[in-house]
Amino acid sequence: MNDVNTTMVDKYRNDFLKEVEENVEEGHWVKMCMQCGVCSGSCPFGPHWDHPPQEIFMMIRAGKRDEVLTTESMWMCTSCYNCIVRCPRELPITHIMHGLANYAHRLGIAPKMNPTRRFSAIFWNNITKTGRVNELALSLKLYFMDGFGNGVKKALAMKKVGIGMIKTKRLNPLALVNHKGVKNPKELHTLIKKAREIEDRRKGLAS
Amino acid sequence: MSENKTAVYVCKGCGIGDRLDTDQLANIAESEGKCSLVRQHDFLCNADGVNTIRNDIDSEAVTHVVIAACSRRAKTDAFGFDDVAVGRANLREGVIWVRPDSEEARETTQEMADDYVRMACAEIQYMKQPEANQNAGTHKTILVVGGGISGITAAVESSKAGYAALLVEKSGQLGGWAAKLHKRVPNSEPFADPQDTGVHDLIKLVEDDNNITVFLNSTVTRTSGAPGQFSVDISAESGDTVTENVGSIIQASGFSNYDANQLPELGYGKSPDVVDQAQLEELARQAGDGPMTRPSDGKEIESVVFVQCAGQRSEKPGHLPYCSGHCCNTSIKQAMYFKDTNPDVDTMVMFDDLRTPGNGEDFYRSAQRKGVIFTKGKAQQVDAANGQLQVNFRDMILDEDAVANADLVVLATGQVPNSGVDIEATAAADAEDESAESESAAEDTQEVSVSVDSILNLTYRQGVDLPHLRHGFSDSHFICFPYETRRSGIYTCGPVRRPMDIAQTQEDATGAALKAIQAVENAVLGRAAHPRSGDLSFPSFRREGCTQCKRCTVECPFGAIDEDEQRYPVFNESRCRRCGTCMGACPVRVISFENYSVDTVGQQIKNVDMPDEFDEKPRLLVLACENDAYPALDMAAQQGLEYSAFVRIVPVRCLGSVNTIWITDALNSGYDGVMLMGCKKGDDYQCHFVRGSELAHERMSKIDDTLQQLQLEPERVVTHEVEITDIHRVPTLINEYAAKIDEIGMNPFKGF
């Protein structure tokens, strides 16, 4: 069991709604949901979620902490913003979904193999390393994240697109060794570290 | 009495002169209508036209006027001559606007107009200009029964408008339920927090008002009379009785709380920690601004569950089938009592459909902000275990059974109206007793009822209290005349009329007060109240012909007719609403109004020119209710919708006034079909006279026997429910019926 997670369970006991309010991005909006279900009806991925947003809000109020934080549901969100536009109570539902996903990830109890989570992690590491996305490295990392064999298969399937992109100078094969980042990546790293410290302190996550 | 002189004026304006042969119409009026003075005018409703009529009345001693022009609903100001009887032949909306302007239609269109002139001339011979009721009362004081928030408001509003009010309250103090509340649901911006009830200020207004007399610990023990002249006994608990004369009455008897003992499954009666909303108000009052404690052991309450729709909106026997409207807002308010004292108290409102009327949506949001949890769920069982309550419920969103623990459970039970004795059930039980001589009176447990003591103790033949509609609420025309009951001059307001909260009640009481004032003012002048307000006519009967059958006294929707010792009807003109239901009911046709009678309509029917069987011109009679059906027909004409030239339309005051003799006379004299158009009947009726449409349908269902005796097809008489908005439907109904009659064939009685 993760340490931060245990701390939070101890801190909030049964009051998961309060935990969400205090730790999740835009979490204070959850209590304002009036259970009309427009968000669930508007979501283009609705039928594929285990728990559509309306249900997630209800589960939070019902104190179903583990079920909410370990579900893959909010990782399904594609940020189409249909729910935000339509919510009669003006809840920032998309942001809350991402907030919940992020919080679950920080606690270390988000589903390990969820592709969205894995992509996000790869993307984050890639962009923060130099301050600019190394697209070639990102693609390769994604192709090969499920092992060498799978990576070759995926790469071959995308062969035509890749060659096309090289021909039109949309992809530079040399970028693997010659990627140009921001001027001073060290400074960026310090900045991000500081920001994280501030946020962790605010949320009581600092160890 | 001077001789009658009838003048007919044929208008040529609005295209009538272009489309119709007005000379022929004038001839018909003179020769067939036997009217001595006939004039044509190019534009009758202009100043010159109206002056022509006025001069004839003044210098030619004209007593009866027929205006052959537009619908009787048009130009009523121009043609409103108070000193003569006025009849109208509807040539514009009734003829030219509903017929195509074509060569082949010209003949039938002209025939239509000819007939309407004949009908108007026939009608006017049997009309008299009514004189106002001479038995009008003079009292203008308003009696308010019930000293709750609705009664107080009604008395204060009456007094503000300059009318003295008597306020009778059964208990020892004013204020009713509202006075027992800790705080009320807010009625002003920002609708965020519970606020002071304001009852004490209202009571002070009453106490400081010399125009309002308060009778505490008192009830109304006898009510007799009519608007403008009610006589009322007000008896105190001590036995002292005073008799007061009042002009109109407002019954604001309010509601009783639904008996939560009928909800053992929700723990009521099993644990003292299960309370209803009224009991929670008391707990809150006791606690003041401090924390509330459990009734069972005095422990400070840390968690509370509000169960909405407890024993209401449910079809289970003993439950209320309706929504009481206020309880969602009330529970929100009560949850705030807890949250405002201590935000850490867990408050959960378990709802099915959260309904927050008024500005309740803001209030709801405010509660959410304060951290009240709203759960869409259905409570199934409340158990007491380990010093706590367990609410077992079905979570309707997550679709699973769940349990909520609480120190206190509040049941949101509903309002049961204090509407007195159900006179219709009593009458039915009496009738049963009379016929079967059975000892066990039919115990009507269908409806949840509280008080069986009469509230008004009316001395009316029809019963001691106001008639109920559904679920024990007093009967009134829900859309058009919400405050008017079925007893003229007696109004209801507040939860006795329908479930409502304080804000709605105060609005309601103000409306009822204004209606009561209108009633006394009309009564003093001897005029009818709504819906025929201002009407001076009233019914009278020919005593020699009466068979004392009691049908008129039973069927009068407004309890206007009593019986004397010999069982002859006694008409109370001031209570009458002039619908003519008694006239339609009378089997020997002895009841009539001065300007509306069996003859005024019967003669119109008989004076239509009836083509013989081989002309292939059927004649269809339409008796149209003047409240909704006739305006709908007028509006159809205004929109240029067309209908068959074979119909002749006669407006009636209400379908209830349709006497079956008109139907049989019509069929006997050769009409091929009769169509009745009235308002919607049933529990959600639209009939302006409540029962008229229903009674007409009943009577027409019995006319089949007569038709069979005459060897006629039952389809020759049809009855339709029509709304004022059925502008496109009414012409279709007529045309379809014309086609149907074409199928059946001509009436074999033509020419006899």
Side-chain angles (χ1 to χ4, degrees):
Chain A
M1 193 88 172
N2 184 294
D3 279 347
V4 196
N5 190 30
T6 322
T7 320
M8 286 312 203
V9 170
D10 285 346
K11 184 172 170 193
Y12 291 102
R13 304 250 161 227
N14 296 323
D15 204 344
F16 184 42
L17 177 63
K18 198 169 176 190
E19 182 180 344
V20 169
E21 276 187 9
E22 291 179 4
N23 298 295
V24 172
E25 204 70 46
E26 305 283 5
H28 59 282
W29 277 99
V30 172
K31 60 176 183 282
M32 299 307 289
C33 167
M34 65 173 188
Q35 295 297 325
C36 66
V38 166
C39 49
S40 308
S42 305
C43 181
F45 273 83
H48 305 290
W49 293 43
D50 289 340
H51 309 287
Q54 173 201 17
E55 242 177 73
I56 298 229
F57 296 146
M58 201 65 227
M59 289 160 75
I60 293 172
R61 294 186 198 174
K64 295 179 181 288
R65 185 177 189 276
D66 290 348
E67 276 181 59
V68 171
L69 294 177
T70 57
T71 180
E72 306 220 22
S73 291
M74 53 267 187
W75 295 96
M76 301 286 287
C77 176
T78 59
S79 308
C80 75
Y81 285 78
N82 241 355
C83 49
I84 292 199
V85 169
R86 293 186 180 171
C87 177
R89 280 294 180 82
E90 300 176 335
L91 265 69
I93 300 167
T94 308
H95 304 318
I96 302 171
M97 289 303 121
H98 294 319
L100 280 169
N102 178 261
Y103 183 60
H105 172 73
R106 297 286 304 280
L107 294 180
I109 54 174
K112 285 276 173 304
M113 296 307 287
N114 180 282
T116 313
R117 194 191 73 81
R118 289 168 76 195
F119 168 77
S120 304
I122 292 169
F123 183 85
W124 176 257
N125 291 337
N126 184 305
I127 194 173
T128 50
K129 197 170 172 189
T130 63
R132 283 211 181 99
V133 179
N134 182 343
E135 286 175 349
L136 186 59
L138 181 67
S139 314
L140 288 174
K141 195 111 194 205
L142 274 176
Y143 285 1
F144 290 94
M145 73 180 176
D146 292 326
F148 187 74
N150 267 327
V152 172
K153 256 190 227 165
K154 275 188 206 164
L156 284 176
M158 295 297 285
K159 191 175 69 181
K160 260 181 114 173
V161 179
I163 292 171
M165 283 175 77
I166 292 170
K167 275 185 181 164
T168 51
K169 300 196 171 162
R170 294 281 122 201
L171 189 73
N172 181 5
L174 295 177
L176 212 51
V177 286
N178 191 19
H179 173 64
K180 212 168 172 234
V182 292
K183 270 183 199 153
N184 194 346
K186 282 252 165 62
E187 219 165 276
L188 177 73
H189 293 158
T190 327
L191 212 120
I192 291 172
K193 198 173 164 221
K194 186 78 191 166
R196 164 157 274 189
E197 269 173 32
I198 294 172
E199 190 186 314
D200 283 356
R201 212 178 308 127
R202 182 163 60 81
K203 290 184 175 176
L205 284 163
S207 41
Chain B
M1 181 86 193
S2 60
E3 211 156 283
N4 287 350
K5 182 169 182 181
T6 308
V8 179
Y9 300 88
V10 181
C11 176
K12 295 204 273 189
C14 295
I16 297 175
D18 303 334
R19 298 276 308 274
L20 300 170
D21 181 351
T22 47
D23 292 338
Q24 186 177 324
L25 297 177
N27 273 336
I28 287 171
E30 209 163 341
S31 56
E32 296 181 41
K34 300 197 176 53
C35 300
S36 45
L37 183 64
V38 180
R39 292 189 203 279
Q40 298 184 38
H41 196 279
D42 284 336
F43 194 173
L44 193 60
C45 60
N46 73 3
D48 178 61
V50 173
N51 274 336
T52 311
I53 304 174
R54 188 74 255 169
N55 285 338
D56 287 347
I57 295 169
D58 295 339
S59 51
E60 305 265 343
V62 168
T63 56
H64 290 63
V65 170
V66 170
I67 291 162
C70 40
S71 164
R72 58 165 61 189
R73 297 175 47 80
K75 303 286 171 194
T76 46
D77 286 343
F79 300 139
F81 303 104
D82 286 339
D83 44 352
V84 293
V86 180
R88 304 278 294 259
N90 187 358
L91 304 182
R92 193 178 70 173
E93 285 89 341
V95 183
I96 60 165
W97 282 1
V98 292
R99 297 300 307 151
D101 187 6
S102 64
E103 207 45 55
E104 58 267 32
R106 198 164 308 278
E107 183 189 329
T108 48
T109 307
Q110 180 70 32
E111 283 174 5
M112 229 177 165
D114 293 350
D115 273 348
Y116 279 125
V117 171
R118 288 187 190 103
M119 289 157 78
C121 292
E123 180 190 23
I124 200 83
Q125 312 292 345
Y126 291 86
M127 275 172 77
K128 254 197 295 179
Q129 178 61 0
E131 285 164 29
N133 167 25
Q134 299 303 308
N135 300 324
T138 53
H139 299 287
K140 291 192 178 181
T141 303
I142 290 163
L143 170 73
V144 181
V145 184
I149 196 104
S150 42
I152 296 176
T153 310
V156 169
E157 293 294 335
S158 304
S159 164
K160 271 198 217 164
Y163 293 79
L166 309 177
L167 185 54
V168 178
E169 165 59 37
K170 195 159 77 173
S171 76
Q173 60 180 358
L174 296 177
W177 284 109
K180 294 177 185 155
L181 302 182
H182 176 48
K183 284 175 182 169
R184 65 170 284 184
V185 172
N187 67 338
S188 58
E189 284 285 348
F191 303 101
D193 305 292
Q195 66 185 45
D196 186 72
T197 59
V199 173
H200 295 287
D201 297 338
L202 260 181
I203 295 175
K204 187 137 176 26
L205 268 183
V206 171
E207 285 168 352
D208 293 349
D209 194 331
N210 294 328
N211 229 357
I212 303 176
T213 317
V214 180
F215 298 85
L216 292 177
N217 297 311
S218 300
T219 52
V220 173
T221 46
R222 184 191 60 87
T223 307
S224 65
Q229 47 189 334
F230 284 111
S231 162
V232 181
D233 286 354
I234 300 169
S235 304
E237 229 167 29
S238 59
D240 296 344
T241 296
V242 290
T243 304
E244 296 277 355
N245 292 312
V246 298
S248 61
I249 299 172
I250 297 172
Q251 180 180 325
S253 43
F255 71 97
S256 298
N257 249 340
Y258 174 79
D259 180 11
N261 282 309
Q262 302 202 46
L263 304 170
E265 69 275 17
L266 296 180
Y268 195 89
K270 289 182 181 166
S271 163
D273 295 334
V274 179
V275 297
D276 65 10
Q277 289 182 326
Q279 286 168 301
L280 190 99
E281 292 293 338
E282 200 171 323
L283 286 179
R285 277 159 65 87
Q286 281 166 5
D289 290 331
M292 279 185 241
T293 53
R294 284 206 304 211
S296 59
D297 56 4
K299 170 186 173 286
E300 203 176 303
I301 295 166
E302 287 168 14
S303 54
V304 49
V305 171
F306 294 87
V307 177
Q308 298 307 108
C309 305
Q312 28 176 354
R313 298 182 65 213
S314 146
E315 296 301 329
K316 276 191 208 158
H319 286 201
L320 304 176
Y322 51 86
C323 164
S324 292
H326 77 95
C327 359
C328 283
N329 274 337
T330 301
S331 285
I332 292 172
K333 173 191 74 176
Q334 294 182 339
M336 284 192 190
Y337 291 166
F338 290 98
K339 282 289 183 189
D340 290 347
T341 316
N342 176 7
D344 287 335
V345 175
D346 284 333
T347 52
M348 184 201 275
V349 177
M350 198 176 286
F351 67 95
D352 187 359
D353 300 293
L354 207 72
R355 295 177 173 177
T356 51
N359 287 75
E361 201 62 21
D362 288 341
F363 196 42
Y364 173 21
R365 262 192 289 261
S366 170
Q368 286 182 305
R369 254 176 236 121
K370 289 179 183 185
V372 178
I373 301 290
F374 290 85
T375 300
K376 188 172 166 69
K378 191 143 187 54
Q380 283 152 340
Q381 175 117 10
V382 178
D383 299 315
N386 311 325
Q388 258 213 328
L389 294 168
Q390 246 187 15
V391 183
N392 300 291
F393 68 101
R394 183 82 189 166
D395 189 314
M396 314 281 271
I397 298 294
L398 305 179
D399 199 22
E400 61 186 22
D401 289 327
V403 178
N405 294 314
D407 289 333
L408 189 79
V409 169
V410 184
L411 304 181
T413 55
Q415 293 180 332
V416 181
N418 294 335
S419 49
V421 178
D422 184 353
I423 56 171
E424 266 148 17
T426 316
D430 283 353
E432 214 166 83
D433 282 356
E434 250 173 58
S435 56
E437 294 271 352
S438 67
E439 283 293 296
S440 59
E443 213 168 298
D444 203 304
T445 48
Q446 286 283 322
E447 308 262 274
V448 181
S449 61
V450 179
S451 129
V452 283
D453 288 339
S454 172
I455 289 163
L456 295 175
N457 286 297
L458 294 166
T459 59
Y460 290 19
R461 180 233 180 272
Q462 289 83 357
V464 291
D465 272 314
L466 303 174
H468 301 172
L469 182 58
R470 248 192 307 190
H471 316 314
F473 293 95
S474 67
D475 191 0
S476 69
H477 190 290
F478 200 79
I479 294 171
C480 299
F481 315 108
Y483 311 114
E484 278 92 356
T485 67
R486 283 173 51 190
R487 298 292 176 256
S488 301
I490 306 180
Y491 297 82
T492 49
C493 66
V496 67
R497 210 169 67 63
R498 65 170 180 81
M500 57 178 90
D501 61 18
I502 293 180
Q504 291 171 357
T505 285
Q506 290 196 281
E507 208 175 285
D508 218 48
T510 311
L514 291 176
K515 278 289 159 192
I517 291 167
Q518 214 175 45
V520 294
E521 290 300 340
N522 267 322
V524 167
L525 296 172
R527 308 193 304 192
H530 64 86
R532 297 187 57 81
S533 79
D535 189 355
L536 295 173
S537 70
F538 53 86
S540 60
F541 79 113
R542 205 159 44 79
R543 199 177 170 91
E544 315 84 80
C546 176
T547 58
Q548 298 125 297
C549 74
K550 299 202 289 183
R551 247 202 247 170
C552 53
T553 56
V554 171
E555 291 194 356
C556 174
F558 306 105
I561 313 173
D562 289 325
E563 281 156 24
D564 65 12
E565 304 83 50
Q566 294 163 284
R567 295 195 154 188
Y568 281 110
V570 177
F571 289 90
N572 289 279
E573 295 85 354
S574 301
R575 280 192 222 157
C576 176
R577 300 213 193 154
R578 284 78 169 166
C579 58
T581 297
C582 48
M583 185 173 113
C586 184
V588 286
R589 301 175 296 281
V590 294
I591 301 173
S592 61
F593 296 78
E594 286 152 307
N595 55 1
Y596 183 63
S597 64
V598 172
D599 281 336
T600 59
V601 176
Q603 290 299 327
Q604 291 185 64
I605 295 171
K606 285 179 192 155
N607 275 280
V608 164
D609 184 51
M610 191 59 66
D612 73 27
E613 206 173 334
F614 310 104
D615 271 351
E616 296 195 349
K617 284 177 183 167
R619 286 291 176 259
L620 310 173
L621 175 66
V622 175
L623 295 168
C625 164
E626 65 177 17
N627 295 295
D628 278 9
Y630 204 67
L633 284 161
D634 273 1
M635 286 188 277
Q638 283 158 13
Q639 297 200 2
L641 303 174
E642 291 169 6
Y643 55 76
S644 165
F646 301 133
V647 292
R648 301 295 177 259
I649 298 171
V650 178
V652 293
R653 285 189 180 181
C654 172
L655 273 202
S657 71
V658 172
N659 197 300
T660 47
I661 192 74
W662 295 341
I663 317 286
T664 40
D665 274 1
L667 292 171
N668 272 326
S669 58
Y671 282 91
D672 302 283
V674 181
M675 180 188 247
L676 275 65
M677 285 186 182
C679 304
K680 195 170 185 216
K681 62 180 170 57
D683 270 356
D684 47 355
Y685 64 84
Q686 291 280 303
C687 178
H688 292 53
F689 297 101
V690 185
R691 297 274 305 149
S693 182
E694 183 104 38
L695 287 167
H697 278 78
E698 242 166 67
R699 291 176 199 150
M700 291 311 131
S701 70
K702 290 174 189 155
I703 213 165
D704 284 2
D705 296 345
T706 322
L707 292 176
Q708 272 161 12
Q709 278 169 14
L710 292 168
Q711 306 269 312
L712 287 174
E713 298 78 4
E715 294 92 335
R716 288 201 191 270
V717 180
V718 292
T719 314
H720 285 291
E721 292 175 37
V722 167
E723 287 173 28
I724 198 161
T725 48
D726 284 345
I727 298 161
H728 290 267
R729 184 169 158 250
V730 278
T732 317
L733 281 178
I734 291 177
N735 290 335
E736 282 171 358
Y737 191 52
K740 176 94 190 165
I741 292 296
D742 215 35
E743 236 171 70
I744 303 174
M746 295 285 197
N747 181 350
F749 286 95
K750 275 184 201 289
F752 284 95

